[in-house]
Amino acid sequence: MTQSDFIGLEEIEAARDRIASTIRQTPVNLSDTLSRIAGVPVHLKLEHLQHTGSFKLRGAANAVARLSDTERSAGVVGVSTGNHGRGLAHAAKAAGVRCVICMSRLVPQVKVDGIRALGAEVRIVGRSQDEAQAEVDKLVADGMTMIPPFDHPSVIAGQGTLGLEIVDQVPDVETVVVPLSGGGLIAGVAAACKAINKDIRIIGITMERGAAMIASLEAGQPVEVEELPTLADSLGGGIGLFNRLTFAMTRDLVDETYLINEAQIATGMRHAYWQERQIVEGSGAVGIAAVIAQKFKPKGPIALILSGGNVDMEQHFRVIGGEDVDLMKEVA
């Protein structure tokens, strides 16, 4: 795959127009505290305030909008660690399309309940996203259309609209820090930002427990990793051994990637709440955590994407209260 095959600016701009009535343009706040730590302005892109509580609605809405009449009548299905399922359920309901979401038992109940509340059918299968994907494959064989959480051109283009917004809202941005999982968000944001300004630095942040994309980048090809309980549960899951787009786009367009541990994720969540007055799930707080831990050297204005806020509130209460929440021990 060459860069000429990547999702481009024209596709992302078309997605922005297509989903404009479905999503909201989320605000950007300047963080005084993080700016002092970094020594440069740090802007928070408050995407956790998106409808459905995460960026995933953008890609799902774009993909649903592009369905044919035949595909609409058959319905859509997807695998999710929570936020993609919620976005897809919302977009499908708005379009009057049947939606089935397959999830593993590791997905928090709050996310399962949120998806069901939007009218989607939820199927809980196995203890990994790969096992849940097997159920998706069965439904596709029966005629439904799969809309995957990240490795899909319409999904990537939809997520890329976040990059367009960031450049509009922070014109002098030098570094964009993006939560990294399957790569749909970071691929789209990187494609948009670098098409506008090739010098914008893209940094991906993910958790130590089950960092599938980083393991794949290190191996030079998609690999499987064990999924483990983590505060950043939305970043869990593999990238797919037959990944078509996001692996190559992440490899070629992302400048740096960093791992953070569970304690650092908790610090990011606490900072978001106590200093920024924002309720952010662990996956959405990884950028804040990376700045506080000084994982990278800032070179200019930074934009951090707070990607989701669909957190179990009991867990959030424990974390912001200072409790050492180790989900690995609790599952054991």
Side-chain angles (χ1 to χ4, degrees):
M1 184 180 191
T2 65
Q3 290 199 12
S4 62
D5 300 313
F6 291 174
I7 306 306
L9 183 61
E10 183 176 335
E11 293 164 277
I12 297 170
E13 289 176 334
R16 176 180 58 188
D17 296 339
R18 195 177 292 119
I19 67 177
S21 63
T22 304
I23 68 159
R24 67 174 301 207
Q25 178 172 307
T26 49
V28 168
N29 284 357
L30 177 66
S31 170
D32 292 335
T33 306
L34 293 175
S35 296
R36 286 195 295 271
I37 292 171
V40 299
V42 177
H43 302 268
L44 305 179
K45 177 61 168 167
L46 307 184
E47 188 63 11
H48 64 296
L49 301 181
Q50 184 58 257
H51 303 311
T52 76
S54 90
F55 73 95
K56 289 287 191 176
L57 178 60
R58 295 174 182 264
N62 190 45
V64 168
R66 303 198 71 188
L67 292 172
S68 68
D69 290 342
T70 300
E71 290 170 331
R72 283 173 180 269
S73 64
V76 296
V77 60
V79 65
S80 176
T81 53
N83 286 334
H84 172 63
R86 201 161 181 155
L88 184 55
H90 180 95
K93 183 178 182 180
V97 175
R98 180 194 176 203
C99 178
V100 179
I101 303 298
C102 301
M103 313 172 82
S104 86
R105 288 195 293 272
L106 290 180
V107 176
Q109 189 63 39
V110 64
K111 297 192 174 183
V112 175
D113 294 342
I115 291 169
R116 285 199 174 112
L118 288 167
E121 177 186 340
V122 176
R123 298 191 183 184
I124 306 298
V125 183
R127 287 185 55 83
S128 74
Q129 198 160 353
D130 289 337
E131 290 180 81
Q133 180 63 46
E135 182 69 14
V136 172
D137 295 340
K138 292 178 185 176
L139 293 169
V140 170
D142 290 337
M144 297 189 78
T145 296
M146 179 178 69
I147 297 181
F150 50 86
D151 195 32
H152 185 285
S154 294
V155 171
I156 296 169
Q159 319 305 27
T161 61
L162 247 176
L164 300 181
E165 287 183 18
I166 287 171
V167 175
D168 284 346
Q169 293 168 312
V170 190
D172 61 344
V173 65
E174 189 275 344
T175 299
V176 180
V177 181
V178 188
L180 175 60
S181 181
L185 176 60
I186 204 166
V189 168
C193 291
K194 287 184 177 289
I196 296 169
N197 178 357
K198 63 179 178 60
D199 294 325
I200 291 178
R201 179 183 177 204
I202 305 295
I203 294 179
I205 309 294
T206 195
M207 71 293 182
E208 289 181 351
R209 292 180 179 175
M213 182 62 80
I214 289 184
S216 297
L217 293 172
E218 291 173 348
Q221 63 184 21
V223 297
E224 293 181 340
V225 299
E226 182 183 4
E227 290 184 49
L228 300 169
T230 171
L231 289 171
D233 57 89
S234 290
L235 301 184
I239 70 167
L241 294 180
F242 302 100
N243 187 288
R244 297 183 301 130
L245 291 166
T246 62
F247 172 75
M249 291 182 72
T250 302
R251 179 193 63 205
D252 292 358
L253 299 179
V254 174
D255 297 287
E256 301 160 43
T257 59
Y258 297 97
L259 295 169
I260 57 174
N261 61 37
E262 296 297 297
Q264 290 165 336
I265 295 170
T267 296
M269 294 172 69
R270 291 185 192 112
H271 176 94
Y273 185 77
W274 293 111
Q275 302 299 322
E276 313 296 342
R277 301 298 189 263
Q278 303 295 329
I279 296 174
V280 181
E281 61 185 280
S283 305
V286 294
I288 292 176
V291 169
I292 294 173
Q294 299 183 308
K295 284 287 185 176
F296 59 90
K297 183 174 177 59
K299 299 177 182 177
I302 297 170
L304 299 181
I305 297 176
L306 308 189
S307 55
N310 294 320
V311 62
D312 180 301
M313 291 307 294
E314 181 180 347
Q315 178 196 98
H316 186 266
F317 179 78
R318 294 169 61 197
V319 170
I320 65 169
E323 183 178 339
D324 179 14
V325 179
D326 189 337
L327 299 182
M328 188 88 80
K329 295 178 182 176
E330 293 181 18
V331 169

